[in-house]
Structure formats: C-alpha cells, structure tokens
Amino acid sequence: MFWSPPSQEQLNSWGGLRTIDDYPEPEQEVWHEHYDAVIWFRSIMSQMRYNGFGATGLDYQVAYRDFDDMEIHGTERDRWKWMMKVMESKALFELNNRPA
C-alpha cells in the first residue's frame, strides 16, 4: 500500500551491484472478507490529519459520514470501525517512518 522503489541515489550507493529490477513491487493479498473495507480505506486516505511532525490520524467525521452514506449500522458498523482502526494504525506507522 505504501511501497516505493529505491531512488537512483540509493541504487548508486550499491556501486552497480543492485538495480531497480532487484526491488519488485510487493504483492498484497487481501482476504475476500476485507476487500470492500480496504478499497474504502484507500478512497479516504486523503482524509488523514497532519501536524508539523507528520500524520496524526484519520478524520473520523469523514469516515462516519461514509458509514452513514453506505448505510452501515449496528454490529456491522463496529466491525468496519475496527477494520478502519487497524488499517489506520498501519498507515500511520508507514507514513511517519518513511525515509526522507
């Protein structure tokens, strides 16, 4: 979800021993039961909140509005909120721990 290839500078540091072909884009398997939630989360990734130090979290008001629009209520809403928080946690780690 947050992969990027090494820069030319990073490749040069290997002195020609590595090329871009040594770093294929990883494949992510998404279980069928999580597919809709992953696609939805990708669609609202632009709704992360940031401060001067990096990403601080997802704008939950946007997420909850989407849940209302998708008519997700009750225990199903609780399940989506849990999946959202798991994905948000991983996204925050990746966004805030990337090399400059």
Side-chain angles (χ1 to χ4, degrees):
M1 198 178 234
F2 297 101
W3 177 86
S4 62
S7 68
Q8 190 59 50
E9 181 181 328
Q10 291 168 322
L11 289 172
N12 291 343
S13 70
W14 282 93
L17 297 174
R18 301 255 183 205
T19 69
I20 194 68
D21 294 331
D22 294 318
Y23 300 94
E25 184 170 354
E27 293 183 19
Q28 286 295 125
E29 180 181 353
V30 177
W31 292 351
H32 176 74
E33 61 267 25
H34 298 292
Y35 185 80
D36 290 339
V38 170
I39 296 301
W40 168 79
F41 189 78
R42 295 277 316 244
S43 76
I44 65 164
M45 279 297 299
S46 62
Q47 301 303 315
M48 281 285 184
R49 293 188 181 218
Y50 289 83
N51 64 17
F53 302 102
T56 61
L58 189 62
D59 184 343
Y60 281 24
Q61 290 177 328
V62 173
Y64 293 159
R65 172 63 193 261
D66 273 359
F67 292 162
D68 290 342
D69 290 348
M70 295 185 296
E71 297 183 1
I72 298 173
H73 303 287
T75 57
E76 183 68 5
R77 188 178 185 118
D78 291 339
R79 188 175 75 83
W80 275 70
K81 285 173 22 181
W82 177 82
M83 289 187 293
M84 173 185 66
K85 290 177 182 189
V86 169
M87 290 184 285
E88 175 192 33
S89 173
K90 180 63 174 170
L92 287 171
F93 177 81
E94 294 295 330
L95 290 170
N96 292 322
N97 291 294
R98 296 182 63 107

